Amino acid sequence: MLVGRRVLVKGEVDSTNTIAKALALEGEPEGTVITATRQSGGRGRTGRIWESPEGGVYLSVILRPDLPAQDLTLLTVLSCLPVAQAIEEVCRAVPRIKWPNDVKLEGKKVAGVLVETCYRGGEPRFLVMGVGVNLNTDPATLTAPEAGSLRAICGKDIDQEHFLNVLLFKLDDFYSRFKKGERDLDLYERYSESLGQDIEVRLGDQKVRGKGMYLDADGSLVFRSDDGMVYRATSVHDVVPLDRGQVRFETGNVH
Ligand code: BTN
């Protein structure tokens, strides 16, 4: 086992990603995991805050993959898979992945992944894969309207140690198979709420309707508009679910 062969357990921290980065810069080997009970400065994608009260699982993994840049972005997008699998195994309910990096259950966001890459001289040096899961979180402590707690949704307390073990096992399995060239795209499709679905893309004031087709080699979401054009959305875009299972890109350009 590579992911989790060394686990550093912390109480309240600023951000486990920040700690992992500092350790990686000091030479901490690949696979080390940092967990915390709370975060005062939890970060989400695109500069958002990740609310991190007591009861959640907050962890970061140091990875040093020797892979081309395109594979690193795909790794980032697919990293929701082991999180969704762990939730399914422990909660006995099937979550959905909202491209690119959200995990949802019953329409609520219950987990997210933030992968940060550290470069030197234009070359990636290491990655920090940060995972946040609202496990036994009191929903009253989550202010974001889209956020949900697994305990509240599943109606029971979840054994945190068991969940952590399952999650680390799934992350390790995913990472070792990814490095061998296995891509799990069929599995991703099973969990995806964007692929094969009607979507609406917002381009400034314009909206484009279409259908999510597939993930590109670098994890971009390729979709076909109703008038037959094929677009490619990179992971800087957000997908927001609409009624009837539709999704829409919230901001940014699609090219
Ligand atoms: C997102 O949904 O935007 C990604 C959220 C990622 C949150 C995790 S919690 C552990 C790690 N430390 C952080 O500051 N962020 C990630």
Side-chain angles (χ1 to χ4, degrees):
M1 185 164 182
L2 178 66
V3 174
R5 65 179 169 187
R6 184 162 129 91
V7 181
L8 305 175
V9 180
K10 308 276 182 193
E12 176 165 339
V13 300
D14 173 21
S15 157
T16 54
N17 267 29
T18 304
I19 295 178
K21 262 194 233 175
L23 287 171
L25 284 169
E26 286 166 13
E28 183 69 29
E30 173 164 75
T32 295
V33 171
I34 295 92
T35 70
T37 54
R38 295 163 63 112
Q39 297 182 117
S40 54
R43 294 195 294 277
R45 286 182 53 254
T46 59
R48 281 179 278 215
I49 289 170
W50 179 259
E51 293 179 299
S52 311
E54 196 87 33
V57 165
Y58 314 107
L59 68 84
S60 300
V61 192
I62 296 170
L63 300 175
R64 299 181 182 276
D66 187 13
L67 294 168
Q70 169 174 288
D71 280 349
L72 295 185
T73 52
L74 182 63
L75 175 78
T76 300
V77 168
L78 294 185
S79 61
C80 274
L81 255 183
V83 181
Q85 287 177 303
I87 291 172
E88 181 175 5
E89 183 166 325
V90 173
C91 302
R92 307 252 170 253
V94 182
R96 310 298 306 275
I97 295 176
K98 187 185 83 153
W99 184 91
N101 279 115
D102 294 352
V103 183
K104 295 168 64 178
L105 196 59
E106 293 186 6
K108 290 287 189 186
K109 177 168 174 173
V110 291
V113 182
L114 172 69
V115 180
E116 296 179 300
T117 311
C118 185
Y119 290 88
R120 178 186 272 173
E123 288 299 311
R125 248 183 104 198
F126 60 82
L127 306 182
V128 169
M129 184 182 286
V131 182
V133 184
N134 300 331
L135 195 74
N136 291 318
T137 317
D138 176 355
T141 60
L142 297 170
T143 60
E146 72 278 8
S149 150
L150 285 172
R151 182 178 70 179
I153 295 169
C154 302
K156 58 172 185 186
D157 250 0
I158 299 158
D159 183 329
Q160 178 146 349
E161 197 180 324
H162 175 59
F163 180 80
L164 200 56
N165 284 335
V166 174
L167 179 58
L168 291 182
F169 177 83
K170 298 286 184 196
L171 286 167
D172 184 63
D173 182 55
F174 162 74
Y175 184 57
S176 67
R177 286 188 302 107
F178 190 92
K179 282 199 300 183
K180 285 186 215 150
E182 293 176 38
R183 292 297 178 254
D184 290 340
L185 292 174
D186 288 347
L187 197 59
Y188 183 91
E189 199 164 338
R190 174 178 172 245
Y191 288 107
S192 173
E193 71 165 28
S194 313
L195 296 176
Q197 303 294 316
D198 290 331
I199 59 172
E200 189 175 86
V201 183
R202 199 190 287 164
L203 299 167
D205 290 344
Q206 276 195 321
K207 289 174 182 171
V208 180
R209 283 181 175 265
K211 196 176 272 278
M213 292 165 69
Y214 60 89
L215 284 189
D216 216 349
D218 67 351
S220 303
L221 180 62
V222 179
F223 68 95
R224 186 187 297 278
S225 64
D226 291 345
D227 63 3
M229 297 280 286
V230 175
Y231 294 82
R232 189 173 157 270
T234 63
S235 55
V236 297
H237 300 102
D238 270 334
V239 179
V240 178
L242 300 175
D243 290 343
R244 305 185 308 281
Q246 292 177 314
V247 294
R248 154 181 95 217
F249 292 97
E250 201 177 24
T251 54
N253 298 314
V254 176
H255 55 273

